[in-house]
Amino acid sequence: MSDFFTMFFNLEYMLAVLPDLIGVGLLNTLILAVAATVIALVIGMLVAMALISRHRWLRWPAQGYIDLLRGLPTILTIFLIGQGLPYMGFTFLGTSAYPYGIAALGLIASAYMAEIFRSGIQSIHHGQLEAARAMGMPYGLAMRMIVIPQGVRNVFPALTNQFISIIKDTSLVYVLGLALGERELYRIGQDMSQRVGNLSPLVAAGIVYLIITIPLTHYVNWLDRRLRTGKIPVVAEEPAVPGDTPTKAVTA
């Protein structure tokens, strides 16, 4: 048992790697995740609009885009975009692998977000669109002002879940060989683990991931309950029964 704690929870190594994890790894992980999410939201919405189009020449390429990016392993897509594009001479994002990692994560996530947006938009009753058109609103304006806002609201918990997935997927960008100042949490933990021959730095990196993702996961659950019920969950005290200890119950 002592070997287990020495290998996975060596406090000396965990404290030694902590400054790099917080100062470099956490910052780069958040930059990668937020920038990729912005790309995914924009492209995902455009692809979703193409998916619900009445025109096949828009629907079919959009469906092919989703099938391709959702069908390939994430690490393979990151490698093909991050290493393949510069190798083919497409260096429009510069020579650093960092922006290519962001682009790869954003494109992959956009395929999932497109399906989320599509389901949200199609959850809105078509009568609302017809009513807006009957009032003289153009199709595009009716979608932007009435249908899309309600659809996005319905799928907001799913979008937040996708953001959590992107945070975890940033660990796969290590395959691109980022520079020292560009390393994310996993790469910093891995480098330190290889240097000292101990897994405690990787465990420390995992703890930082959990500090980010667990509160977000609980927030998504709370938000989902609130959107379903229209109420904020509160703790209410049950009526006291003579002879019994009062208990509390969570209601929505």
Side-chain angles (χ1 to χ4, degrees):
M1 184 59 75
S2 62
D3 291 340
F4 173 82
F5 282 101
T6 301
M7 177 59 71
F8 289 95
F9 296 98
N10 187 306
L11 194 58
E12 178 185 353
Y13 292 141
M14 296 175 84
L15 292 176
V17 77
L18 198 57
D20 279 347
L21 286 177
I22 302 300
V24 180
L26 178 59
L27 179 64
N28 283 318
T29 295
L30 292 178
I31 291 174
L32 286 165
V34 172
T37 300
V38 172
I39 293 172
L41 287 172
V42 174
I43 298 179
M45 178 57 76
L46 294 176
V47 175
M49 296 303 294
L51 278 176
I52 62 175
S53 170
R54 290 174 294 181
H55 305 292
R56 293 178 181 175
W57 61 272
L58 283 175
R59 284 201 315 272
W60 288 359
Q63 190 61 57
Y65 176 85
I66 291 173
D67 291 342
L68 178 66
L69 289 173
R70 292 181 63 174
L72 289 174
T74 302
I75 195 169
L76 176 60
T77 306
I78 291 173
F79 190 81
L80 289 176
I81 294 175
Q83 294 287 337
L85 290 181
Y87 180 77
M88 295 295 294
F90 297 104
T91 55
F92 51 91
L93 294 177
T95 56
S96 169
Y98 197 82
Y100 292 95
I102 292 174
L105 289 172
L107 291 174
I108 295 166
S110 70
Y112 292 91
M113 288 194 174
E115 286 288 7
I116 294 172
F117 280 133
R118 180 194 58 76
S119 64
I121 293 171
Q122 290 183 334
S123 69
I124 305 304
H125 195 278
H126 60 82
Q128 295 196 32
L129 179 61
E130 293 174 355
R133 298 298 304 276
M135 294 174 63
M137 294 181 71
Y139 176 81
L141 183 62
M143 290 294 289
R144 289 197 304 273
M145 300 299 294
I146 297 176
V147 178
I148 291 177
Q150 295 184 76
V152 171
R153 178 181 178 275
N154 288 346
V155 296
F156 191 75
L159 294 174
T160 310
N161 262 330
Q162 192 59 44
F163 176 63
I164 296 172
S165 295
I166 295 174
I167 291 175
K168 292 184 287 187
D169 285 346
T170 57
S171 62
L172 300 175
V173 176
Y174 84 95
V175 298
L176 300 181
L178 299 175
L180 283 178
E182 299 172 340
R183 295 175 299 167
E184 30 64 51
L185 288 169
Y186 170 76
R187 183 57 189 271
I188 288 178
Q190 184 195 39
D191 286 350
M192 180 76 171
S193 289
Q194 290 177 344
R195 193 160 61 247
V196 300
N198 190 286
L199 294 177
S200 298
L202 271 175
V203 173
I207 292 173
V208 179
Y209 276 114
L210 292 177
I211 291 173
I212 304 172
T213 57
I214 287 179
L216 278 174
T217 301
H218 285 281
Y219 169 71
V220 170
N221 294 335
W222 174 84
L223 186 62
D224 186 52
R225 286 196 301 273
R226 182 176 181 184
L227 289 176
R228 288 177 186 277
T229 62
K231 298 178 181 178
I232 302 175
V234 296
V235 178
E237 189 169 311
E238 292 183 348
V241 177
D244 289 348
T245 303
T247 58
K248 292 184 177 180
V250 177
T251 61

PDB file of all heavy atoms in Angstrom, residues 154-179:
ATOM      1  N   ASN A 154     -33.296  25.898 -24.973  1.00  0.00           N
ATOM      2  CA  ASN A 154     -33.661  24.517 -24.642  1.00  0.00           C
ATOM      3  C   ASN A 154     -32.456  23.587 -24.546  1.00  0.00           C
ATOM      4  O   ASN A 154     -32.501  22.584 -23.836  1.00  0.00           O
ATOM      5  CB  ASN A 154     -34.645  23.982 -25.686  1.00  0.00           C
ATOM      6  CG  ASN A 154     -36.022  24.618 -25.553  1.00  0.00           C
ATOM      7  OD1 ASN A 154     -36.326  25.254 -24.546  1.00  0.00           O
ATOM      8  ND2 ASN A 154     -36.849  24.475 -26.581  1.00  0.00           N
ATOM      9  N   VAL A 155     -31.410  23.879 -25.334  1.00  0.00           N
ATOM     10  CA  VAL A 155     -30.261  22.954 -25.371  1.00  0.00           C
ATOM     11  C   VAL A 155     -29.046  23.539 -24.653  1.00  0.00           C
ATOM     12  O   VAL A 155     -27.942  23.015 -24.799  1.00  0.00           O
ATOM     13  CB  VAL A 155     -29.893  22.594 -26.830  1.00  0.00           C
ATOM     14  CG1 VAL A 155     -31.031  21.847 -27.490  1.00  0.00           C
ATOM     15  CG2 VAL A 155     -29.528  23.844 -27.634  1.00  0.00           C
ATOM     16  N   PHE A 156     -29.242  24.592 -23.868  1.00  0.00           N
ATOM     17  CA  PHE A 156     -28.088  25.212 -23.204  1.00  0.00           C
ATOM     18  C   PHE A 156     -27.337  24.225 -22.289  1.00  0.00           C
ATOM     19  O   PHE A 156     -26.101  24.225 -22.277  1.00  0.00           O
ATOM     20  CB  PHE A 156     -28.531  26.436 -22.409  1.00  0.00           C
ATOM     21  CG  PHE A 156     -27.388  27.273 -21.926  1.00  0.00           C
ATOM     22  CD1 PHE A 156     -26.684  28.090 -22.793  1.00  0.00           C
ATOM     23  CD2 PHE A 156     -26.983  27.219 -20.603  1.00  0.00           C
ATOM     24  CE1 PHE A 156     -25.611  28.845 -22.359  1.00  0.00           C
ATOM     25  CE2 PHE A 156     -25.912  27.972 -20.153  1.00  0.00           C
ATOM     26  CZ  PHE A 156     -25.226  28.786 -21.027  1.00  0.00           C
ATOM     27  N   PRO A 157     -28.041  23.369 -21.511  1.00  0.00           N
ATOM     28  CA  PRO A 157     -27.284  22.385 -20.718  1.00  0.00           C
ATOM     29  C   PRO A 157     -26.429  21.459 -21.576  1.00  0.00           C
ATOM     30  O   PRO A 157     -25.299  21.133 -21.205  1.00  0.00           O
ATOM     31  CB  PRO A 157     -28.396  21.614 -19.998  1.00  0.00           C
ATOM     32  CG  PRO A 157     -29.531  22.572 -19.927  1.00  0.00           C
ATOM     33  CD  PRO A 157     -29.485  23.338 -21.212  1.00  0.00           C
ATOM     34  N   ALA A 158     -26.952  21.048 -22.725  1.00  0.00           N
ATOM     35  CA  ALA A 158     -26.167  20.163 -23.603  1.00  0.00           C
ATOM     36  C   ALA A 158     -24.949  20.896 -24.155  1.00  0.00           C
ATOM     37  O   ALA A 158     -23.863  20.306 -24.306  1.00  0.00           O
ATOM     38  CB  ALA A 158     -27.049  19.664 -24.747  1.00  0.00           C
ATOM     39  N   LEU A 159     -25.091  22.184 -24.459  1.00  0.00           N
ATOM     40  CA  LEU A 159     -23.947  22.968 -24.938  1.00  0.00           C
ATOM     41  C   LEU A 159     -22.883  23.087 -23.851  1.00  0.00           C
ATOM     42  O   LEU A 159     -21.679  23.017 -24.124  1.00  0.00           O
ATOM     43  CB  LEU A 159     -24.413  24.357 -25.380  1.00  0.00           C
ATOM     44  CG  LEU A 159     -25.330  24.405 -26.612  1.00  0.00           C
ATOM     45  CD1 LEU A 159     -25.833  25.828 -26.833  1.00  0.00           C
ATOM     46  CD2 LEU A 159     -24.602  23.908 -27.847  1.00  0.00           C
ATOM     47  N   THR A 160     -23.325  23.270 -22.615  1.00  0.00           N
ATOM     48  CA  THR A 160     -22.359  23.355 -21.509  1.00  0.00           C
ATOM     49  C   THR A 160     -21.649  22.018 -21.312  1.00  0.00           C
ATOM     50  O   THR A 160     -20.453  21.980 -21.021  1.00  0.00           O
ATOM     51  CB  THR A 160     -23.078  23.767 -20.214  1.00  0.00           C
ATOM     52  OG1 THR A 160     -23.881  24.918 -20.473  1.00  0.00           O
ATOM     53  CG2 THR A 160     -22.088  24.108 -19.127  1.00  0.00           C
ATOM     54  N   ASN A 161     -22.389  20.929 -21.475  1.00  0.00           N
ATOM     55  CA  ASN A 161     -21.755  19.612 -21.399  1.00  0.00           C
ATOM     56  C   ASN A 161     -20.690  19.458 -22.475  1.00  0.00           C
ATOM     57  O   ASN A 161     -19.632  18.861 -22.249  1.00  0.00           O
ATOM     58  CB  ASN A 161     -22.809  18.515 -21.582  1.00  0.00           C
ATOM     59  CG  ASN A 161     -23.266  17.972 -20.246  1.00  0.00           C
ATOM     60  OD1 ASN A 161     -22.520  17.943 -19.278  1.00  0.00           O
ATOM     61  ND2 ASN A 161     -24.510  17.532 -20.196  1.00  0.00           N
ATOM     62  N   GLN A 162     -20.974  19.995 -23.650  1.00  0.00           N
ATOM     63  CA  GLN A 162     -19.992  19.921 -24.734  1.00  0.00           C
ATOM     64  C   GLN A 162     -18.746  20.732 -24.395  1.00  0.00           C
ATOM     65  O   GLN A 162     -17.624  20.335 -24.729  1.00  0.00           O
ATOM     66  CB  GLN A 162     -20.635  20.442 -26.027  1.00  0.00           C
ATOM     67  CG  GLN A 162     -19.823  20.148 -27.275  1.00  0.00           C
ATOM     68  CD  GLN A 162     -19.582  18.677 -27.490  1.00  0.00           C
ATOM     69  OE1 GLN A 162     -20.493  17.868 -27.341  1.00  0.00           O
ATOM     70  NE2 GLN A 162     -18.353  18.314 -27.830  1.00  0.00           N
ATOM     71  N   PHE A 163     -18.924  21.856 -23.708  1.00  0.00           N
ATOM     72  CA  PHE A 163     -17.770  22.653 -23.278  1.00  0.00           C
ATOM     73  C   PHE A 163     -16.900  21.850 -22.305  1.00  0.00           C
ATOM     74  O   PHE A 163     -15.661  21.902 -22.374  1.00  0.00           O
ATOM     75  CB  PHE A 163     -18.259  23.945 -22.624  1.00  0.00           C
ATOM     76  CG  PHE A 163     -17.159  24.800 -22.058  1.00  0.00           C
ATOM     77  CD1 PHE A 163     -16.188  25.348 -22.888  1.00  0.00           C
ATOM     78  CD2 PHE A 163     -17.080  25.043 -20.698  1.00  0.00           C
ATOM     79  CE1 PHE A 163     -15.169  26.132 -22.363  1.00  0.00           C
ATOM     80  CE2 PHE A 163     -16.066  25.823 -20.172  1.00  0.00           C
ATOM     81  CZ  PHE A 163     -15.105  26.364 -21.005  1.00  0.00           C
ATOM     82  N   ILE A 164     -17.535  21.093 -21.423  1.00  0.00           N
ATOM     83  CA  ILE A 164     -16.775  20.241 -20.503  1.00  0.00           C
ATOM     84  C   ILE A 164     -15.978  19.187 -21.280  1.00  0.00           C
ATOM     85  O   ILE A 164     -14.811  18.914 -20.965  1.00  0.00           O
ATOM     86  CB  ILE A 164     -17.726  19.561 -19.502  1.00  0.00           C
ATOM     87  CG1 ILE A 164     -18.400  20.624 -18.618  1.00  0.00           C
ATOM     88  CG2 ILE A 164     -16.991  18.558 -18.626  1.00  0.00           C
ATOM     89  CD1 ILE A 164     -19.507  20.080 -17.732  1.00  0.00           C
ATOM     90  N   SER A 165     -16.594  18.638 -22.313  1.00  0.00           N
ATOM     91  CA  SER A 165     -15.885  17.648 -23.144  1.00  0.00           C
ATOM     92  C   SER A 165     -14.680  18.281 -23.839  1.00  0.00           C
ATOM     93  O   SER A 165     -13.621  17.655 -23.966  1.00  0.00           O
ATOM     94  CB  SER A 165     -16.838  17.064 -24.197  1.00  0.00           C
ATOM     95  OG  SER A 165     -17.872  16.340 -23.586  1.00  0.00           O
ATOM     96  N   ILE A 166     -14.841  19.526 -24.282  1.00  0.00           N
ATOM     97  CA  ILE A 166     -13.717  20.205 -24.947  1.00  0.00           C
ATOM     98  C   ILE A 166     -12.571  20.411 -23.963  1.00  0.00           C
ATOM     99  O   ILE A 166     -11.399  20.250 -24.323  1.00  0.00           O
ATOM    100  CB  ILE A 166     -14.181  21.554 -25.539  1.00  0.00           C
ATOM    101  CG1 ILE A 166     -15.195  21.314 -26.658  1.00  0.00           C
ATOM    102  CG2 ILE A 166     -12.994  22.343 -26.084  1.00  0.00           C
ATOM    103  CD1 ILE A 166     -15.818  22.592 -27.206  1.00  0.00           C
ATOM    104  N   ILE A 167     -12.902  20.772 -22.724  1.00  0.00           N
ATOM    105  CA  ILE A 167     -11.844  20.952 -21.713  1.00  0.00           C
ATOM    106  C   ILE A 167     -11.031  19.664 -21.575  1.00  0.00           C
ATOM    107  O   ILE A 167      -9.798  19.687 -21.543  1.00  0.00           O
ATOM    108  CB  ILE A 167     -12.466  21.338 -20.356  1.00  0.00           C
ATOM    109  CG1 ILE A 167     -13.054  22.743 -20.427  1.00  0.00           C
ATOM    110  CG2 ILE A 167     -11.416  21.278 -19.248  1.00  0.00           C
ATOM    111  CD1 ILE A 167     -13.795  23.163 -19.167  1.00  0.00           C
ATOM    112  N   LYS A 168     -11.721  18.536 -21.518  1.00  0.00           N
ATOM    113  CA  LYS A 168     -11.002  17.261 -21.380  1.00  0.00           C
ATOM    114  C   LYS A 168     -10.232  16.906 -22.645  1.00  0.00           C
ATOM    115  O   LYS A 168      -9.140  16.348 -22.584  1.00  0.00           O
ATOM    116  CB  LYS A 168     -12.000  16.159 -21.005  1.00  0.00           C
ATOM    117  CG  LYS A 168     -12.578  16.330 -19.605  1.00  0.00           C
ATOM    118  CD  LYS A 168     -13.477  15.197 -19.213  1.00  0.00           C
ATOM    119  CE  LYS A 168     -14.789  15.233 -19.939  1.00  0.00           C
ATOM    120  NZ  LYS A 168     -15.750  14.216 -19.447  1.00  0.00           N
ATOM    121  N   ASP A 169     -10.801  17.248 -23.800  1.00  0.00           N
ATOM    122  CA  ASP A 169     -10.125  16.922 -25.065  1.00  0.00           C
ATOM    123  C   ASP A 169      -8.872  17.760 -25.307  1.00  0.00           C
ATOM    124  O   ASP A 169      -8.046  17.404 -26.156  1.00  0.00           O
ATOM    125  CB  ASP A 169     -11.097  17.112 -26.236  1.00  0.00           C
ATOM    126  CG  ASP A 169     -12.126  15.994 -26.321  1.00  0.00           C
ATOM    127  OD1 ASP A 169     -11.916  14.959 -25.655  1.00  0.00           O
ATOM    128  OD2 ASP A 169     -13.130  16.155 -27.037  1.00  0.00           O
ATOM    129  N   THR A 170      -8.713  18.880 -24.583  1.00  0.00           N
ATOM    130  CA  THR A 170      -7.492  19.671 -24.767  1.00  0.00           C
ATOM    131  C   THR A 170      -6.247  18.861 -24.424  1.00  0.00           C
ATOM    132  O   THR A 170      -5.160  19.163 -24.906  1.00  0.00           O
ATOM    133  CB  THR A 170      -7.519  20.937 -23.886  1.00  0.00           C
ATOM    134  OG1 THR A 170      -7.691  20.543 -22.512  1.00  0.00           O
ATOM    135  CG2 THR A 170      -8.639  21.870 -24.285  1.00  0.00           C
ATOM    136  N   SER A 171      -6.422  17.822 -23.607  1.00  0.00           N
ATOM    137  CA  SER A 171      -5.266  16.987 -23.245  1.00  0.00           C
ATOM    138  C   SER A 171      -4.702  16.252 -24.455  1.00  0.00           C
ATOM    139  O   SER A 171      -3.536  15.847 -24.448  1.00  0.00           O
ATOM    140  CB  SER A 171      -5.666  15.975 -22.167  1.00  0.00           C
ATOM    141  OG  SER A 171      -6.663  15.096 -22.654  1.00  0.00           O
ATOM    142  N   LEU A 172      -5.523  16.091 -25.513  1.00  0.00           N
ATOM    143  CA  LEU A 172      -5.063  15.359 -26.695  1.00  0.00           C
ATOM    144  C   LEU A 172      -4.186  16.205 -27.609  1.00  0.00           C
ATOM    145  O   LEU A 172      -3.559  15.680 -28.530  1.00  0.00           O
ATOM    146  CB  LEU A 172      -6.279  14.840 -27.482  1.00  0.00           C
ATOM    147  CG  LEU A 172      -7.201  13.894 -26.715  1.00  0.00           C
ATOM    148  CD1 LEU A 172      -8.427  13.543 -27.551  1.00  0.00           C
ATOM    149  CD2 LEU A 172      -6.457  12.628 -26.334  1.00  0.00           C
ATOM    150  N   VAL A 173      -4.153  17.521 -27.364  1.00  0.00           N
ATOM    151  CA  VAL A 173      -3.355  18.398 -28.219  1.00  0.00           C
ATOM    152  C   VAL A 173      -1.855  18.135 -28.020  1.00  0.00           C
ATOM    153  O   VAL A 173      -1.034  18.583 -28.815  1.00  0.00           O
ATOM    154  CB  VAL A 173      -3.720  19.873 -27.926  1.00  0.00           C
ATOM    155  CG1 VAL A 173      -2.866  20.848 -28.712  1.00  0.00           C
ATOM    156  CG2 VAL A 173      -5.189  20.113 -28.249  1.00  0.00           C
ATOM    157  N   TYR A 174      -1.506  17.376 -26.984  1.00  0.00           N
ATOM    158  CA  TYR A 174      -0.087  17.096 -26.726  1.00  0.00           C
ATOM    159  C   TYR A 174       0.583  16.414 -27.908  1.00  0.00           C
ATOM    160  O   TYR A 174       1.799  16.505 -28.095  1.00  0.00           O
ATOM    161  CB  TYR A 174       0.050  16.217 -25.477  1.00  0.00           C
ATOM    162  CG  TYR A 174      -0.126  14.742 -25.736  1.00  0.00           C
ATOM    163  CD1 TYR A 174       0.981  13.917 -25.964  1.00  0.00           C
ATOM    164  CD2 TYR A 174      -1.391  14.171 -25.785  1.00  0.00           C
ATOM    165  CE1 TYR A 174       0.819  12.569 -26.206  1.00  0.00           C
ATOM    166  CE2 TYR A 174      -1.564  12.837 -26.031  1.00  0.00           C
ATOM    167  CZ  TYR A 174      -0.455  12.025 -26.241  1.00  0.00           C
ATOM    168  OH  TYR A 174      -0.624  10.697 -26.498  1.00  0.00           O
ATOM    169  N   VAL A 175      -0.224  15.721 -28.760  1.00  0.00           N
ATOM    170  CA  VAL A 175       0.377  15.006 -29.899  1.00  0.00           C
ATOM    171  C   VAL A 175       1.004  15.958 -30.909  1.00  0.00           C
ATOM    172  O   VAL A 175       1.809  15.535 -31.750  1.00  0.00           O
ATOM    173  CB  VAL A 175      -0.675  14.131 -30.624  1.00  0.00           C
ATOM    174  CG1 VAL A 175      -1.220  13.068 -29.708  1.00  0.00           C
ATOM    175  CG2 VAL A 175      -1.801  14.989 -31.205  1.00  0.00           C
ATOM    176  N   LEU A 176       0.648  17.250 -30.834  1.00  0.00           N
ATOM    177  CA  LEU A 176       1.195  18.212 -31.792  1.00  0.00           C
ATOM    178  C   LEU A 176       2.570  18.729 -31.381  1.00  0.00           C
ATOM    179  O   LEU A 176       3.201  19.462 -32.136  1.00  0.00           O
ATOM    180  CB  LEU A 176       0.227  19.404 -31.948  1.00  0.00           C
ATOM    181  CG  LEU A 176      -1.177  19.047 -32.446  1.00  0.00           C
ATOM    182  CD1 LEU A 176      -2.032  20.300 -32.571  1.00  0.00           C
ATOM    183  CD2 LEU A 176      -1.112  18.328 -33.783  1.00  0.00           C
ATOM    184  N   GLY A 177       3.020  18.368 -30.180  1.00  0.00           N
ATOM    185  CA  GLY A 177       4.344  18.798 -29.742  1.00  0.00           C
ATOM    186  C   GLY A 177       4.413  20.288 -29.460  1.00  0.00           C
ATOM    187  O   GLY A 177       5.180  21.015 -30.094  1.00  0.00           O
ATOM    188  N   LEU A 178       3.613  20.759 -28.530  1.00  0.00           N
ATOM    189  CA  LEU A 178       3.580  22.186 -28.200  1.00  0.00           C
ATOM    190  C   LEU A 178       4.878  22.633 -27.539  1.00  0.00           C
ATOM    191  O   LEU A 178       5.580  21.836 -26.910  1.00  0.00           O
ATOM    192  CB  LEU A 178       2.399  22.470 -27.267  1.00  0.00           C
ATOM    193  CG  LEU A 178       1.010  22.158 -27.823  1.00  0.00           C
ATOM    194  CD1 LEU A 178      -0.049  22.376 -26.744  1.00  0.00           C
ATOM    195  CD2 LEU A 178       0.695  23.010 -29.042  1.00  0.00           C
ATOM    196  N   ALA A 179       5.194  23.937 -27.701  1.00  0.00           N
ATOM    197  CA  ALA A 179       6.376  24.509 -27.053  1.00  0.00           C
ATOM    198  C   ALA A 179       6.178  24.543 -25.539  1.00  0.00           C
ATOM    199  O   ALA A 179       5.060  24.358 -25.035  1.00  0.00           O
ATOM    200  CB  ALA A 179       6.618  25.921 -27.593  1.00  0.00           C
TER     201      ALA A 179
END
